[in-house]
Amino acid sequence: MPRGELRIYLGAAPGVGKTYAMLEEAHRRAERGTDVVIGLVETHGRKHTAAMLGDLEQVPRRTMDYRGAEFAEMDLDAVLARRPQVAVVDELAHTNVPGSRNAKRWQDVQELLDAGIDVLSTVNVQHLESVNDVVAQITGTTQRETVPDEIVRGAEQVELVDMTPEALRRRMAHGNIYRPDKIDAALGNYFRVGNLTALRELALLWLADKVDEQLGRYRSQEGIAETWEARERVVVALTGGPEGETLIRRAARIAARSKGADLLAVHVARSDGLAGADPAQLARQRVLVESLGGTYHQVLGTDVPAALLDFARGVNATQLVLGASRRGRFAQLLSRGVGVTTTALSGSIDVHLVTHTEAGRGRRAAAVPAAALSRRRRLFGFALALVGMPLLTLLLTVLPDLTLASDILLFLAGVVVVALVGGLWPALVAALGGTLLINWFFTPPFHTLTIAEPENLLALVVFVGVALAVSWIVDLAARRTREAARAAADAQTLAAVAGGVLRGGRPLIALLDQLRETFGLRSVSVLELVEEAAGRPARAREEGSWCVVASVGDQPATTPDSGETAVPVDERITIVLCGRRLEAADRRLVEAFAAQAAVALRQERLAEEAATARPLAEADRMRTALLAAVSHDLRTPLASAKAAVTSLRSPDVEFDEEDRAELLATAEESLDRLARLVANLLDMSRLQAGVLGLTPATIGLEDAVPRALDELEPQAAGVATDIPADLPAVSADPGLLERVLVNIIANALRYSPPGQPPTVTASAHAGQVELRIIDTGPGIPEDKWEHVFLPFQRLGDRDNQTGVGLGLALSRGLAEAMGGSLTPETTPGGGLTMVLRLPAVSENLVEGPQE
């Protein structure tokens, strides 16, 4: 059975018209004779969306009971049994009610697709897993319901339903998205122009990546190698040389000229596994590329121009940045070089040859390599050459007469054996000695160095040339083998470094430990030049000019001169190694360690700065919210009280006693509200500063609860209480406990339905007294319980007249300050129950002071 196809309507925010567009498509397919049913569509009370349902067949929803409340979900089994050609399933990221077969609606959709049913669905960009943190940063709201990106990317069609922020806000203002009581709060929070613009850009960019993937698949399937300039992609080629940073910055400037251009850096490594580039330089250049928003890639290839162009065409690059050749003029005469060859073969890709300070200077001479073979083997090779050639001569003199060609071949075989055993120099000695022996004993006239026949002279010259060539090739092969083994060991070491850094909680210390262990050092130190000594070489040699940033091992160095090896990382940071001096070949690997250490140090410092900035950001957020509270919530009771007093003092109006009493009551109520608000703000600031004063005392809840209800009169007149007479007393500050109770009960009153006031019950359990404030209001989803305890948070922004959102946050803080806790629970049948737990006081402790 063929799998069904998924079509998703993607939007930047609620209300852009995703569901409406989906239903339009459903009607179009139904009119063409396709069997279409609606599995589930959420209209959210929008009349235009509800009207679009029309005569489309709807599968009845399945009702589920969860914690005393009923919820309607899509009946997956009924849709599967109906087996339509197309099923309409709204809100792909929705979380199903616990107890459903699947936890997420997108999993229901996957079952429908597996059954061969095509599905139309919708999702907002804020529900995509990959951008969830970005959306939270932009809007200040963390989306709990997400869908994996691969589910949406795997859809056969993703259609963007787009709308400008201004048009969406107008739609909101006309009441076409939310109920009238939510419009003001939404326009002032989530639906701000800046938020909507950023979300729209996120949706466009995400869809552009999706389209780019589809284009890449199409080009691959059709075998299209030519570049299609659908999007600017700048590739910069890196050799690991010192000119790399210049090329990267130039490529970044080229990419910055085009909005949304990609920057990619690539290094072509030799496919034989031999080290050809400086790993430390490449590590630093990789950090620079990533800091500029680019990506780093490494490919294998023996033909560098072909490998570069294969990579560029594979990523659909439009521009390629290369450095001017570092080779000298004579070398450029012999071959065109990578830059010229790449330009000639680039086709439609624009190639930029960038000059730099290293251009034309030639490649830096490499250090003289160590011998390819061990000293023992080379000595054995010399011995074999000095003894073996005379023995071979003696053997050939006693054998039957052989031709000169046969003698030369046997001596050549001897030279090859010496080369295999001892390498180049013993083979050269053997070749030279063999030439003299052949000339003296086997070339007419014998026992002289004179050669009579030209053919014999040619044979000896060929012998010498072949012997030298074979010796060189054997020595080169041994050297290459040693280099390959060294490169493999370096790669294994760097892989171990990367793994250790990733697994370590402190990457810098893990890196230094790995460096010390790899090279058998006593200690490794990271030193930083103090600010006063920066740029002053003479001062840098003084003892107090360096500070130890991090170190591992015994007796770490405190200055660069106090260690055996110092490796500069940048102008101010140096890594100092103590214990032994490193070989020149090891220094390149240590420089790679140093480059990674710089990255690890930068990460640790950024993490420290972020940790320092987080409380400041939180304080700034609270300060902003406080200013908003002052601008509205404090002004409202002040305005009411002032209006009442002004009316009473006005000489133009005569009030009877009843009106005067009503105005005075209004002023008193407004001032009481203002007093509670100011007290909450002051207590919250004291809590956060850690200077809240507590006066613990033994108090009974049968006394504390009525006092709190009296303060909330007349709204609390219908609140029912159930406090047992034998309930233990609690240890708490009487004033603060009353504040906690007032805030919690006031919150329950605010959201209780008319005619169903909250209930207050109490019980004792395990050394604690639990006070439950139970309401039957709309309740709060479990995943948002912690949100209600954030300062200045009015969950859902239901209105602008319910205070600054401090009540529950302050109540939890005060409860914890008194040794208790405040947690929410779901009320059976719907609603919210706040559970206040306080330490109980034993009867002996209660009665002791009274005696």
Side-chain angles (χ1 to χ4, degrees):
M1 178 186 299
R3 180 178 167 86
E5 294 187 356
L6 176 60
R7 180 168 183 169
I8 295 177
Y9 291 84
L10 174 68
V16 296
K18 303 179 302 299
T19 304
Y20 194 92
M22 177 181 66
L23 292 174
E24 283 186 326
E25 176 63 20
H27 278 289
R28 280 193 293 270
R29 297 195 183 194
E31 290 170 359
R32 294 196 299 263
T34 305
D35 183 15
V36 180
V37 301
I38 294 179
L40 186 142
V41 168
E42 297 287 358
T43 64
H44 297 289
R46 300 165 191 166
K47 59 182 180 179
H48 298 294
T49 304
M52 280 299 296
L53 294 173
D55 55 355
L56 291 174
E57 179 184 348
Q58 301 185 45
V59 175
R61 301 189 187 188
R62 182 164 61 100
T63 301
M64 299 185 63
D65 182 77
Y66 177 67
R67 293 190 174 183
E70 288 189 350
F71 298 88
E73 294 284 4
M74 181 178 71
D75 193 337
L76 178 60
D77 293 328
V79 177
L80 290 171
R82 172 65 176 73
R83 295 198 60 80
Q85 292 177 282
V86 178
V88 179
V89 182
D90 205 4
E91 297 186 357
L92 187 65
H94 171 75
T95 300
N96 292 330
V97 174
S100 302
R101 184 160 70 197
N102 296 312
K104 297 287 188 177
R105 186 166 292 164
W106 61 263
Q107 295 171 321
D108 295 339
V109 169
Q110 292 298 305
E111 288 199 34
L112 295 176
L113 296 173
D114 291 338
I117 301 172
D118 294 346
V119 176
L120 305 179
S121 190
T122 64
V123 70
N124 279 325
V125 69
Q126 65 262 32
H127 296 296
L128 298 177
E129 186 65 49
S130 64
V131 299
N132 184 257
D133 57 336
V134 181
V135 172
Q137 183 181 7
I138 293 171
T139 64
T141 302
T142 301
Q143 300 293 334
R144 304 295 179 182
E145 294 184 329
T146 59
V147 58
D149 283 50
E150 59 266 21
I151 299 299
V152 184
R153 290 189 185 277
E156 282 69 21
Q157 297 182 64
V158 178
E159 180 176 329
L160 179 66
V161 182
D162 190 30
M163 179 174 288
T164 65
E166 293 77 12
L168 185 58
R169 284 172 59 85
R170 284 197 300 270
R171 179 178 287 184
M172 171 70 75
H174 293 159
N176 294 329
I177 300 178
Y178 287 166
R179 296 195 308 268
D181 60 329
K182 291 187 175 184
I183 292 176
D184 289 341
L187 289 175
N189 291 277
Y190 195 88
F191 282 79
R192 294 195 300 268
V193 173
N195 288 0
L196 296 177
T197 302
L199 293 173
R200 188 186 186 200
E201 183 178 15
L202 271 181
L204 291 169
L205 290 175
W206 191 95
L207 189 60
D209 288 339
K210 162 75 174 174
V211 172
D212 192 62
E213 289 179 4
Q214 293 176 331
L215 178 62
R217 286 197 299 268
Y218 175 79
R219 284 164 47 84
S220 177
Q221 292 169 0
E222 299 297 326
I224 300 172
E226 295 82 8
T227 299
W228 287 3
E229 298 186 15
R231 183 173 182 176
E232 283 290 337
R233 282 189 176 84
V234 181
V235 173
V236 54
L238 303 177
T239 64
E243 75 282 357
E245 293 187 4
T246 301
L247 301 182
I248 292 169
R249 290 190 171 91
R250 181 60 181 273
R253 290 195 296 271
I254 294 173
R257 295 170 188 165
S258 301
K259 181 67 175 177
D262 295 331
L263 174 64
L264 302 92
V266 60
H267 169 67
V268 180
R270 295 172 56 171
S271 58
D272 56 9
L274 302 179
D278 187 347
Q281 289 277 13
L282 284 176
R284 285 190 286 268
Q285 290 165 13
R286 177 173 188 165
V287 172
L288 177 60
V289 169
E290 293 174 349
S291 69
L292 294 172
T295 56
Y296 177 85
H297 307 267
Q298 185 163 310
V299 297
L300 295 177
T302 53
D303 187 347
V304 175
L308 279 177
L309 291 173
D310 286 343
F311 174 81
R313 293 189 179 108
V315 299
N316 202 25
T318 56
Q319 303 189 60
L320 180 60
V321 178
L322 301 172
S325 178
R326 284 184 285 157
R327 301 183 307 153
R329 293 183 179 180
F330 181 73
Q332 293 183 33
L333 290 176
L334 297 178
S335 65
R336 295 192 299 176
V338 173
V340 177
T341 305
T342 304
T343 304
L345 301 175
S346 62
S348 59
I349 301 176
D350 297 336
V351 178
H352 302 262
L353 280 176
V354 179
T355 187
H356 49 84
T357 56
E358 300 293 326
R361 293 187 176 182
R363 294 186 178 273
R364 295 180 180 177
V368 177
L373 300 176
S374 66
R375 178 182 176 85
R376 182 177 179 181
R377 283 188 60 178
R378 284 183 283 120
L379 291 176
F380 187 72
F382 280 117
L384 185 61
L386 296 175
V387 176
M389 292 297 105
L391 288 177
L392 180 60
T393 303
L394 180 62
L395 179 64
L396 291 177
T397 57
V398 301
L399 288 177
D401 291 340
L402 298 174
T403 64
L404 179 61
S406 299
D407 295 334
I408 289 175
L409 288 175
L410 290 174
F411 270 91
L412 183 60
V415 172
V416 171
V417 171
V418 173
L420 291 174
V421 173
L424 177 61
W425 293 108
L428 291 178
V429 171
L432 179 60
T435 302
L436 295 174
L437 291 172
I438 291 174
N439 189 9
W440 185 268
F441 288 101
F442 303 107
T443 304
F446 301 111
H447 307 299
T448 68
L449 296 178
T450 304
I451 301 175
E453 299 293 335
E455 293 84 355
N456 295 339
L457 177 62
L458 178 62
L460 285 176
V461 170
V462 171
F463 165 74
V464 173
V466 172
L468 293 176
V470 170
S471 302
W472 175 259
I473 291 173
V474 170
D475 186 78
L476 182 62
R479 196 178 303 280
R480 294 291 191 187
T481 301
R482 181 169 180 171
E483 289 178 359
R486 175 76 186 198
D490 289 350
Q492 186 175 3
T493 301
L494 291 174
V497 170
V501 170
L502 290 174
R503 289 189 297 272
R506 298 184 61 190
L508 180 58
I509 297 299
L511 189 67
L512 298 182
D513 266 330
Q514 187 71 42
L515 177 59
R516 184 173 65 91
E517 179 182 342
T518 299
F519 294 102
L521 302 169
R522 186 183 73 244
S523 65
V524 181
S525 305
V526 179
L527 305 182
E528 185 174 18
L529 191 64
V530 298
E531 191 72 32
E532 295 78 8
R536 301 168 64 184
R539 177 74 186 276
R541 297 188 181 92
E542 298 177 4
E543 181 72 23
S545 299
W546 296 87
C547 63
V548 179
V549 177
S551 64
V552 294
D554 300 327
Q555 301 175 359
T558 56
T559 64
D561 297 333
S562 60
E564 281 74 14
T565 305
V567 181
V569 177
D570 55 29
E571 295 179 353
R572 295 187 57 188
I573 297 178
T574 298
I575 292 183
V576 184
L577 314 179
C578 299
R580 68 181 183 89
R581 290 194 176 275
L582 299 180
E583 299 178 5
D586 292 331
R587 190 175 180 91
R588 292 177 64 193
L589 190 58
V590 172
E591 288 178 348
F593 272 90
Q596 296 300 324
V599 176
L601 178 59
R602 188 179 300 112
Q603 289 176 342
E604 288 192 2
R605 288 184 170 175
L606 287 174
E608 292 174 359
E609 290 176 3
T612 304
R614 193 175 297 113
L616 297 176
E618 180 66 19
D620 185 66
R621 188 188 70 82
M622 293 190 64
R623 191 179 301 110
T624 303
L626 178 58
L627 291 174
V630 171
S631 66
H632 180 278
D633 296 285
L634 295 180
R635 186 171 57 203
T636 301
L638 281 173
S640 299
K642 187 176 186 304
V645 174
T646 301
S647 299
L648 288 171
R649 295 188 61 191
S650 174
D652 300 330
V653 182
E654 290 290 338
F655 295 100
D656 56 23
E657 288 300 323
E658 184 178 352
D659 291 336
R660 289 175 60 84
E662 184 177 351
L663 288 172
L664 288 172
T666 300
E668 183 180 14
E669 181 182 349
S670 298
L671 293 174
D672 288 343
R673 180 182 171 191
L674 179 61
R676 288 196 299 269
L677 200 56
V678 171
N680 282 346
L681 289 170
L682 291 175
D683 283 345
M684 178 56 70
S685 64
R686 293 190 187 104
L687 267 176
Q688 293 187 330
V691 295
L692 181 68
L694 291 175
T695 307
T698 300
I699 183 173
L701 291 184
E702 66 276 10
D703 298 325
V705 172
R707 283 201 295 267
L709 294 176
D710 290 342
E711 188 171 340
L712 292 171
E713 289 290 348
Q715 294 89 348
V719 175
T721 59
D722 182 11
I723 301 177
D726 57 349
L727 187 71
V730 297
S731 175
D733 185 300
L736 296 183
L737 176 58
E738 184 176 340
R739 298 284 306 288
V740 171
L741 295 176
V742 167
N743 284 329
I744 301 175
I745 297 173
N747 187 76
L749 286 168
R750 185 177 303 125
Y751 295 109
S752 292
Q756 300 181 36
T759 302
V760 180
T761 65
S763 60
H765 179 71
Q768 288 186 322
V769 173
E770 293 185 354
L771 188 70
R772 295 176 176 270
I773 295 89
I774 306 165
D775 70 61
T776 56
I780 299 173
E782 186 172 346
D783 60 347
K784 293 183 174 146
W785 279 354
E786 291 303 314
H787 289 197
V788 300
F789 295 108
L790 298 177
F792 309 109
Q793 171 69 33
R794 294 189 297 271
L795 189 62
D797 293 313
R798 288 179 171 82
D799 55 62
N800 290 323
Q801 287 79 37
T802 56
V804 292
L806 272 177
L808 293 180
L810 178 61
S811 297
R812 170 175 274 189
L814 294 177
E816 292 175 351
M818 293 186 291
S821 65
L822 180 63
T823 56
E825 293 181 359
T826 300
T827 301
L832 184 69
T833 297
M834 284 292 176
V835 182
L836 174 63
R837 295 181 177 89
L838 293 170
V841 179
S842 66
E843 293 184 2
N844 292 334
L845 291 178
V846 173
E847 295 174 0
Q850 296 175 352
E851 296 177 354

